């Protein structure tokens, strides 16, 4: 386990910047898409600006995680930043929709590395005593990005240009790159893996084929076209190959045995639909607002706030409720029901709907998604055996991310097909101005503003109808998720699973941690919270230290294994003056547990103090052991406790006040 790293504050800031960039780029383009379409054309390809990023980041995540374990995370994180920088610069320079989609995929490849490696590096550089605090910081990054992303995208479009949605990444990522190169230590523990390259390629290829099929089928190509059939057959062949490979892989990216669990299968399907609904709404609602309502890009981001606020608030509330009461089945059932209602309400929006109506509809959808997203990860973790905990967690977030890709692609196809048909019917029944090309309406929706008022109203109705059809189609899909959520069984909540992480609920990119790292994450969060609640008073009683106040117990644990420690250093660690800490030290000296140096400046434990410290450590280890007992007897868990326990005791932040 790491000691405090030099320059830790700078490293954490750089890691948070990297993760913020990757998280923002999942949502920042949503409010810029209408302007991008107006500039580059290609309305029928709009969905791939989002899908390309999501697919690349999701599929590459397992590879980044395993390579980082095996070859060192510093070099891989630098590589991810460079790829993200290059992708961002090329996105801003794009001259066509095809170029933008390709460069967004490159950007997503780097973004996947930023997300997974930033979280892993925290474990390399942050001592366990402080890790719970920093996990909270990274969770806040996801929360901030979900709220700020659409607003920033709109702000850059209105005040600079859509190109700055991507250019803004360059200085921020450059700062993160310089700090990581200069400050992050390169020597970390390496873990050898048998990387499942075949499984990653086959799963990624099959997913890409299915998303392309959903995008092109019935729009770019007829359903009977050989291209569509070829994509379908290729997807089936790769899925069959993936199933065959995974059954024999030493470290499968997603073991087929996971699907034998009803909990995992049902939760994955529900998570898929939740991602489907979330990213579908984020992609097409700004188009509705900017084209139909005629609001600015910034204002369209503000209009999305009720949905994002509902998601964030309910994610926090549901996580806290589950942690407190240990019951979770209620949330996905009610959440998908509320989200279904939200989708239905959005499907009824017209060009005449009020802003208040739209805000209420979005709030309902956000509340439903927030009650579901984070809980599904908890459900899967709770049902998995220890040996599958890591891959089950990454599998749950993988399906949510892929659901987002499918949602944007499928709903994009529905939008394009409906818009084409509605435009044909409109054009056949109205007189168009001389020289007006109706195809321009799809390439640049802003042209509608230059039409005569009556004709403009007709075209706005066509756009409103096409976008409302998107949510009409999404409503029964969300209803299916509601029905399937009833089949998710409830089991007694494992203690470490109850230590929820809001970042896991809001991030679209898959998590990638080993089973041991998953347990450690929950254990550190639980211990971090427990250490703040009269822990040293309870620990002293368990160890039979009658008459020693909690602050004295803290000093013993802080001195354990340290040798001589200067009194001023001990006071600085506890964030007190020497005068404030001296009475406790004097009491320990009088009890024969601590002795002072000849000059009176330093302290260390006596032989009797070492014995007491060993008892305190044993009692603390027993407490941690109870927290992981529901995972069964696993030697590596006990080794984790032996290593973790002495590093958790005596943290600066948990000194009794």
């Amino acid at each position: 386990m790491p000691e405090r790293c030099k320059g830790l504050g700078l490293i954490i800031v750089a890691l948070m910047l990297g993760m913020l960039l990757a998280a923002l780029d999942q949502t920042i383009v949503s409010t810029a898409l209408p302007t991008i379409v107006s500039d580059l054309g290609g309305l029928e390809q709009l969905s791939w600006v989002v899908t390309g990023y999501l697919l690349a980041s999701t599929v590459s995540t397992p590879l980044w995680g395993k390579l980082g374990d095996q070859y060192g995370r510093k070099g891989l994180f630098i590589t991810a930043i460079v790829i993200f920088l290059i992708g961002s610069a090329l996105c801003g320079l794009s001259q066509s929709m095809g170029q933008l989609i390709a460069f967004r995929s490159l950007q997503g490849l780097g973004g996947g590395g930023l997300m997974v490696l930033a979280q892993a590096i925290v474990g390399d550089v942050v001592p366990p005593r402080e890790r719970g605090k920093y996990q909270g910081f990274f969770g806040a990054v996801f929360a901030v990005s979900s709220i700020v992303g659409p607003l920033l995208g709109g702000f850059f479009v209105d005040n600079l240009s859509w190109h700055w949605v991507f250019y803004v990444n360059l200085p921020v990522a450059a700062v993160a790159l310089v700090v990581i190169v200069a400050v992050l230590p390169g020597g970390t523990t390496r873990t050898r893996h048998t990387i499942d390259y075949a499984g990653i390629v086959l799963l990624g290829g099959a997913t890409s084929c299915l998303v392309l099929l959903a995008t092109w089928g019935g729009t770019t190509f007829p359903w009977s076209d050989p291209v569509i059939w070829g994509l379908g057959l290729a997807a089936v062949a790769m899925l069959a190959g993936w199933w065959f490979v995974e059954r024999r892989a030493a470290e499968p990216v997603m073991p087929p045995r996971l699907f034998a669990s009803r909990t995992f299968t049902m939760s994955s399907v529900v998570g898929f639909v939740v991602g489907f609904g979330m990213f579908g709404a984020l992609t097409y609602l700004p188009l509705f607002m900017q084209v139909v309502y005629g609001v600015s890009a910034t204002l369209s981001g503000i209009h999305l706030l009720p949905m994002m606020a509902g998601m964030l608030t309910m994610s926090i509330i549901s996580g806290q409720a589950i942690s407190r009461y240990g019951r979770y089945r209620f949330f996905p059932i009610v959440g998908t029901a509320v989200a279904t209602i939200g989708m239905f309400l959005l499907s009824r929006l017209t060009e005449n709907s009020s802003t208040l109506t739209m805000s209420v509809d979005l709030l309902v959808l956000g509340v439903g998604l927030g009650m579901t997203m984070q809980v599904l990860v908890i459900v899967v973790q709770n049902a998995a055996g220890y040996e599958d905990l890591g891959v089950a967690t990454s599998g749950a977030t993988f399906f949510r991310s892929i659901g987002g890709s499918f949602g944007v692609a499928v709903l994009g196809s529905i939008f394009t097909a409906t818009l084409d048909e509605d435009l044909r019917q409109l054009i056949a029944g109205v007189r168009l101005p001389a020289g007006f090309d109706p195809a321009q309406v799809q390439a640049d929706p802003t042209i509608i503003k230059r039409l005569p008022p009556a004709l403009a109203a007709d075209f706005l109705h066509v756009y409103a109808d096409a976008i409302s059809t998107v949510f009409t189609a999404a409503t029964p899909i969300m209803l299916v998720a509601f029905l399937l959520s009833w089949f998710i069984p409830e089991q007694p909540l494992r203690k470490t699973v109850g230590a929820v992480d809001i970042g896991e609920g809001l991030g679209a990119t898959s998590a990638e941690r080993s089973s041991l790292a998953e347990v450690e994450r929950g254990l550190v969060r639980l211990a971090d919270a427990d250490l703040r609640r009269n822990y040293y008073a309870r620990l002293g009683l368990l160890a039979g230290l009658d008459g020693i106040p909690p602050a004295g117990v803290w000093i013993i644990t802080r001195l354990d294994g340290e040798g001589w420690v200067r009194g001023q250093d001990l006071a600085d660690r506890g964030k007190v003056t020497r005068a404030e800490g001296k009475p406790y030290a004097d009491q320990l000296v009088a009890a024969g547990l601590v002795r002072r140096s000849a000059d009176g400046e330093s302290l260390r434990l006596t032989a009797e103090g070492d014995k007491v410290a060993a008892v305190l450590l044993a009692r603390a280890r027993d407490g941690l052991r109870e927290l992981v007992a529901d995972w069964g007897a696993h030697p590596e868990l006990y080794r984790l406790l032996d290593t973790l326990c002495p590093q958790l005791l005596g943290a600066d932040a948990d000194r009794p006040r």
Side-chain angles (χ1 to χ4, degrees):
M1 296 292 174
E3 294 297 323
R4 173 176 274 275
C5 176
K6 185 178 180 181
L8 178 61
L10 281 175
I11 294 172
I12 293 297
V13 169
L15 294 176
M16 290 176 67
L17 286 176
M19 182 175 286
L20 179 64
L21 290 174
L24 274 178
D25 268 75
Q26 296 173 350
T27 58
I28 196 172
V29 300
S30 60
T31 46
L33 285 175
T35 305
I36 292 173
V37 169
S38 298
D39 190 15
L40 300 181
L43 180 65
E44 71 283 354
Q45 298 174 296
L46 173 146
S47 63
W48 274 94
V49 179
V50 177
T51 300
Y53 184 91
L54 284 177
L55 265 181
S57 61
T58 302
V59 172
S60 65
T61 292
L63 190 58
W64 284 113
K66 290 292 195 322
L67 290 175
D69 288 346
Q70 188 154 313
Y71 298 109
R73 298 187 180 99
K74 179 176 180 177
L76 267 293
F77 193 70
I78 291 171
T79 302
I81 295 176
V82 171
I83 292 173
F84 189 83
L85 273 168
I86 294 172
S88 297
L90 292 174
C91 284
L93 295 170
S94 297
Q95 299 299 306
S96 69
M97 190 63 83
Q99 290 180 8
L100 179 59
I101 291 168
F103 299 143
R104 277 285 283 172
S105 299
L106 179 64
Q107 191 188 34
L109 179 64
L114 292 179
M115 297 279 274
V116 68
L117 292 171
Q119 296 177 78
I121 290 171
V122 171
D124 292 335
V125 300
V126 177
R129 285 188 177 113
E130 303 175 28
R131 205 169 294 161
K133 174 177 66 176
Y134 289 110
Q135 286 176 353
F137 290 165
F138 280 85
V141 168
F142 285 100
V144 169
S145 65
S146 67
I147 296 289
V148 172
L151 291 175
L152 277 180
F155 175 83
F156 288 129
V157 167
D158 287 340
N159 295 279
L160 296 168
S161 74
W162 67 262
H163 303 276
W164 278 93
V165 170
F166 304 106
Y167 289 152
V168 71
N169 294 330
L170 304 183
V172 179
V175 169
L177 180 62
V178 170
V179 172
I180 292 299
V181 170
V183 183
L184 181 66
T188 57
T189 303
R190 308 291 175 89
T191 303
R192 290 205 58 81
H193 291 286
T194 305
I195 300 177
D196 183 19
Y197 291 106
I200 293 171
V201 170
L202 288 169
L203 185 59
T207 303
S208 300
C209 285
L210 289 172
V211 173
L212 282 171
L213 187 152
T215 305
W216 290 345
T219 53
T220 306
F221 300 97
W223 286 106
S224 59
D225 192 278
V227 172
I228 300 301
W229 279 90
L231 287 171
L233 291 174
V236 171
M238 282 189 276
L239 284 174
W242 167 78
W243 189 270
F244 178 81
V245 166
E246 296 300 87
R247 292 171 67 87
R248 290 159 178 77
E251 297 182 41
V253 64
M254 192 180 300
R257 65 177 177 270
L258 288 176
F259 297 93
S261 166
R262 189 179 78 182
T263 300
F264 178 82
T265 303
M266 292 296 102
S267 298
S268 296
V269 173
V270 174
F272 179 94
V273 176
V274 166
F276 189 106
M278 174 185 171
F279 282 94
L282 281 175
T283 302
Y284 291 100
L285 280 169
L287 186 66
F288 179 89
M289 298 171 196
Q290 293 178 41
V291 174
V292 178
Y293 284 1
V295 303
S296 67
T298 303
L299 197 56
S300 70
I302 293 174
H303 283 318
L304 285 174
L305 282 178
M307 173 182 166
M308 308 310 293
M311 284 173 50
L312 176 60
T313 302
M314 290 311 301
S315 290
I316 294 172
I317 291 174
S318 60
Q320 290 179 342
I322 290 170
S323 180
R324 172 173 292 188
Y325 300 111
R327 307 300 295 271
Y328 55 78
R329 187 167 179 263
F330 163 85
F331 290 98
I333 293 174
V334 175
T336 50
V338 173
T340 302
I341 294 171
M343 284 291 186
F344 173 73
L345 293 174
L346 288 171
S347 73
R348 297 169 63 83
L349 287 177
T350 70
E351 65 273 23
N352 300 315
S353 299
S354 68
T355 301
L356 178 60
T357 298
M358 181 177 63
S359 297
V360 172
D361 296 350
L362 285 171
L363 179 62
V364 172
L365 177 62
V367 166
L369 294 177
M371 292 180 72
T372 310
M373 290 177 66
Q374 178 162 273
V375 178
L376 292 173
V377 178
I378 296 173
V379 170
V380 168
Q381 289 181 327
N382 197 57
Y386 172 75
E387 64 281 357
D388 288 331
L389 175 60
V391 290
T393 304
S394 62
T397 51
F398 171 85
F399 279 106
R400 186 178 64 220
S401 302
I402 293 301
S405 301
F406 269 88
V408 176
V410 172
L411 297 180
S413 297
I414 293 171
F415 169 74
T416 302
T418 305
L419 184 63
D420 287 345
E421 179 60 27
D422 286 356
L423 284 175
R424 277 196 295 269
Q425 292 181 12
L426 175 62
I427 293 167
V430 300
R431 182 185 297 276
L432 299 175
F436 176 75
D437 181 4
Q440 291 179 307
V441 174
Q442 287 177 285
D444 183 4
T446 60
I447 290 176
I448 295 175
K449 299 177 182 178
R450 300 197 288 269
L451 294 172
L455 187 58
D458 289 336
F459 275 96
L460 289 178
H461 177 74
V462 164
Y463 259 89
D465 179 68
I467 296 173
S468 66
T469 302
V470 163
F471 295 103
T472 300
T475 300
I477 296 174
M478 191 64 73
L479 179 62
V480 170
F482 165 69
L483 297 175
L484 291 177
S485 66
W486 285 90
F487 293 94
I488 298 175
E490 185 164 59
Q491 301 171 1
L493 188 69
R494 288 182 167 120
K495 293 182 177 66
T496 55
V497 172
V500 294
D501 182 355
I502 190 172
E504 206 86 310
L506 294 177
T509 301
S510 303
E512 184 63 31
R513 289 185 286 264
S514 66
S515 294
L516 185 66
E518 285 290 351
V519 174
E520 181 184 346
R521 179 198 61 82
L523 191 59
V524 166
R525 289 179 69 85
L526 284 173
D528 186 63
D530 194 39
L531 287 167
R532 308 292 182 270
R533 295 195 294 264
N534 298 318
Y535 180 78
Y536 290 92
R538 289 181 277 126
L539 187 60
L541 290 175
L542 289 172
L545 291 179
D546 298 330
I548 301 296
V553 177
W554 181 86
I555 291 175
I556 294 172
T557 60
R558 188 77 224 203
L559 292 176
D560 185 27
E562 294 283 343
W564 287 104
V565 176
R566 291 180 65 248
Q568 187 59 54
D569 291 341
L570 189 63
D572 291 342
R573 291 173 187 174
K575 297 180 175 58
V576 296
T577 65
R578 287 193 68 179
E580 290 173 320
K582 187 174 183 301
Y584 301 107
D586 289 344
Q587 186 177 19
L588 294 175
V589 171
L593 302 177
V594 170
R595 61 183 170 128
R596 281 195 172 93
S597 60
D599 60 6
E601 291 297 315
S602 300
L603 302 170
R604 73 173 299 166
L605 292 177
T606 63
E608 184 62 27
D610 285 333
K611 293 178 183 178
V612 169
V615 174
L616 290 172
L617 185 63
R619 296 295 175 266
R621 189 186 296 110
D622 290 343
L624 292 182
R625 193 161 184 164
E626 289 180 10
L627 295 177
V628 300
D630 46 23
W631 289 112
H634 297 279
E636 64 177 357
L637 280 181
Y638 299 145
R639 288 194 295 270
L640 171 67
L641 299 184
D642 291 339
T643 306
L644 198 60
C645 188
Q647 300 190 54
L648 288 174
L649 290 177
D652 304 343
D654 59 66
R655 181 189 63 80
R657 298 313 195 254

